[in-house]
Amino acid sequence: MRVALLSLTEAVSGEPHGLRGYLTIGGRTLARHQLGIALAFGCTRVVVLTEGLTGEVLTLQHAAEEGGARFHVITSAHALLPLITADDELIVLSDGLFALPEVVLSHLSDGPGVLALPVEAGVAAGFERIDINHAAAGVMRLPGRLIAGLGDLPSDWNAHAALLRLAVQARTPMRQLPSAVLNDGRWGLVRSEDEAHRVEPAWIRLHTRSAQQRSPGEWLAAKTVHMAGPALLHAGTRPWLVAMGAVVLLLLAVGAGWFGWCTPGFVLLGMGWVVAQVATQIAGIETASLLALRDRSPIGPAFAFLIDAAFVTLAAWRSDIASVAGVSFAATWFAPVVLVMLLHLLPRALPEGRWTWWLQDRLLAGLVCAAVSVLLPFDLALRAVVVLLLGWAILIVPRRTGSANAPLTGSR
């Protein structure tokens, strides 16, 4: 069994009545972030060392149980002894530590170890010195048999310091982290509100850096998360609530088209797609760093289908073909349907590149449709776009050499 030990005992710098573990980054406490690390390790039991049962501890308990782990609260290091057997593994997280789960896993996935930093950088960042060359990095993975040594130490010892001493005495392997992790927001000891505020923007950028920013709409979504993400998370705005904003914009777009305002409707559709991307990125942050299973964005393929269906609908409503005598109303839907199908087909058929990414950007599609609606004959321009896309695809796709029927037509 793998057990995680979290501590809520160290006071915030300058605030003796506040605890480091309750400082917030992205609207969640440091203790909640550490729980994400424990769940990423697959811990089936979470033990919290704290002096009292508070509302934050109860919230932590609910999150741990939702993640499939049992939850225990203890008030001293000695109380850990009956909870750990020799066959267990203990993941120990230092009070106030903030780290990305993937960094911890990448350095401790092979087995027991004590994570360390170069002594100068580690001590300057507030971590405890181990020896002349190393400082503790705040995370240990220890075999359960070492825990028995706690019984020989005074009960008032700091649990993390006591376990670090036992690990060093037992010659537990030391795994050194590069000091660069302290500079880019992937690792740190957060001891005050000011430090938490400094870490937060870097944390947001780390999680959105890998997000797709290959087109104008994706770039705008990432910038929105960078600028508004911390405020949204601190306000308790969960991804599903942001996703509801995308749904509202979709409904407003369809409503505008129904009343004949198709041009602003196209713009609203593009904005709704961007908001949906923002919701997806915020959900990705919560899932990756916190393993928050209930906060995944409801935006998915179904919403993408609705956005495209709305584009087809607004384009059909904007068409003037239905007013031509002898032309069926169904003819107004043909060109928009073909255009949307091409926007899905071409990125799959053509070599991946900037233009294929832009074809999937619905903000760009909305702005182009709005501009065409105002400046050009809409029906003619729509059909011209379809022809241009097909012609471009014919020029780009390489011609296959040989005949597909060569085995049938070859000489016998």
Side-chain angles (χ1 to χ4, degrees), residues 57-323:
V57 173
L58 293 176
T59 301
L60 199 64
Q61 177 181 359
H62 295 154
E65 291 174 349
E66 288 174 3
R70 296 173 61 188
F71 192 83
H72 301 269
V73 176
I74 60 175
T75 57
S76 69
H78 283 180
L80 186 64
L81 292 171
L83 298 176
I84 307 295
T85 68
D87 296 329
D88 292 336
E89 272 193 338
L90 183 65
I91 308 297
V92 185
L93 301 170
S94 180
D95 203 340
L97 175 75
F98 178 74
L100 295 189
E102 58 265 26
V103 180
V104 182
L105 289 173
S106 65
H107 287 83
L108 283 179
S109 59
D110 294 336
V114 176
L115 292 188
L117 289 160
V119 65
E120 296 86 359
V123 172
F127 291 99
E128 182 180 355
R129 179 192 292 267
I130 298 176
D131 54 33
I132 192 172
N133 295 316
H134 302 96
V139 183
M140 295 179 285
R141 179 178 176 181
L142 307 177
R145 57 182 173 78
L146 292 183
I147 311 304
L150 288 174
D152 301 327
L153 298 176
S155 61
D156 58 349
W157 267 48
N158 177 278
H160 190 274
L163 291 169
L164 177 60
R165 173 178 173 178
L166 293 172
V168 172
Q169 290 176 347
R171 299 185 182 277
T172 304
M174 199 171 298
R175 309 184 192 279
Q176 182 162 314
L177 295 172
S179 57
V181 299
L182 297 172
N183 303 323
D184 58 11
R186 289 181 291 167
W187 203 280
L189 194 63
V190 181
R191 296 161 291 180
S192 66
E193 287 280 359
D194 291 339
E195 290 181 350
H197 289 313
R198 285 197 298 269
V199 167
E200 192 171 62
W203 175 69
I204 293 287
R205 285 193 298 272
L206 282 171
H207 282 290
T208 55
R209 184 173 57 188
S210 60
Q212 296 177 348
Q213 301 179 36
R214 305 167 302 187
S215 67
E218 292 173 340
W219 177 87
L220 180 60
K223 286 299 180 183
T224 302
V225 174
H226 291 170
M227 296 175 62
L232 290 173
L233 292 171
H234 274 291
T237 307
R238 302 273 70 87
W240 64 266
L241 190 58
V242 180
M244 288 302 298
V247 174
V248 170
L249 287 171
L250 170 62
L251 295 176
L252 288 174
V254 175
W258 177 261
F259 288 104
W261 303 326
C262 292
T263 300
F266 289 127
V267 177
L268 287 171
L269 282 179
M271 293 171 57
W273 183 83
V274 171
V275 173
Q277 300 302 307
V278 171
T280 299
Q281 291 190 25
I282 293 178
I285 293 173
E286 301 235 328
T287 303
S289 188
L290 302 171
L291 271 71
L293 302 179
R294 297 195 309 170
D295 291 328
R296 294 176 179 170
S297 171
I299 296 297
F303 185 79
F305 172 80
L306 291 176
I307 285 282
D308 285 341
F311 268 112
V312 171
T313 303
L314 263 64
W317 289 344
R318 175 62 180 81
S319 175
D320 296 323
I321 293 179
S323 60

Side-chain angles (χ1 to χ4, degrees), residues 378-390:
F378 187 78
D379 294 298
L380 179 61
L382 202 64
R383 283 152 178 78
V385 169
V386 171
V387 172
L388 288 174
L389 287 176
L390 287 172

